[in-house]
Amino acid sequence: MGTRTFAIIKPDAVKNGHTGKIYDRILQSDFKILGAKLMRMTKAQAEGFYAVHKERPFYEELTTFMSSGQSMVLALEKENAVAAWRETIGATNPADADVGSIRKDFATSLGENAVHGSDSDENAIIEISFFFSDAELIANR
Ligand code: CMP
């Protein structure tokens, strides 16, 4: 199992003032922050990042939303990072998310679901490198 995953604190969560609380959940869940950037994605960046969903009916809505305001992109490190972060954030649809998960506490809808998490080790590497150069990631040893 890999030790890295990629996370986004999405525009709804930043706009609603939840950035600090979600950042704190990350630290409390024992992730190391290898990189963190507050940014506003361009539409082209959002389209590239979510290219895997290009054929889905929600692609336009998703990429418009993700480029609608500031978000925070993060490279996280922990043992079994992908699964650990997915457990911390809860189900994609906040209506299905477990009590105590980030999406249960901060997400408003399926489309505006507060955070993103990689779904596999392979995608974690691809997604981290979409937003961070190797030089930007903090070496922990
Ligand atoms: P995320 O984990 O960032 O990965 C893809 C995103 O697409 C997902 O979170 C949701 O926010 C969004 N998404 C998935 N299904 C739908 C849907 N039916 N309508 C709108 N957005 C969706």
Side-chain angles (χ1 to χ4, degrees):
M1 286 297 164
T3 56
R4 289 183 177 189
T5 194
F6 176 74
I8 307 176
I9 303 176
K10 294 188 180 186
D12 59 315
V14 175
K15 195 170 122 203
N16 293 329
H18 298 318
T19 308
K21 285 171 272 182
I22 294 173
Y23 199 94
D24 199 42
R25 297 270 185 113
I26 294 170
L27 296 174
Q28 281 183 2
S29 303
D30 291 328
F31 287 93
K32 279 187 181 148
I33 310 223
L34 303 181
K37 261 189 242 202
L38 189 64
M39 63 181 299
R40 181 172 180 171
M41 276 182 214
T42 63
K43 183 76 157 62
Q45 276 177 311
E47 287 170 355
F49 180 76
Y50 282 114
V52 65
H53 296 306
K54 207 176 171 55
E55 305 306 326
R56 304 282 192 96
F58 57 83
Y59 181 67
E60 177 57 31
E61 179 190 327
L62 173 63
T63 54
T64 297
F65 165 63
M66 290 302 292
S67 56
S68 68
Q70 288 181 319
S71 54
M72 181 174 275
V73 295
L74 301 122
L76 305 179
E77 184 177 76
K78 186 179 177 173
E79 203 59 44
N80 202 3
V82 167
W85 177 238
R86 288 175 77 79
E87 193 179 328
T88 303
I89 66 180
T92 306
N93 188 339
D96 302 327
D98 287 341
V99 171
S101 66
I102 289 175
R103 282 175 172 148
K104 186 71 173 182
D105 293 344
F106 302 114
T108 47
S109 66
L110 175 57
E112 304 200 359
N113 62 352
V115 283
H116 167 80
S118 306
D119 64 2
S120 66
D121 290 342
E122 188 190 9
N123 282 336
I125 302 301
I126 294 168
E127 291 177 1
I128 288 171
S129 62
F130 193 90
F131 287 106
F132 293 98
S133 68
D134 282 347
E136 286 176 306
L137 300 175
I138 295 162
N140 276 308
R141 29 193 163 290

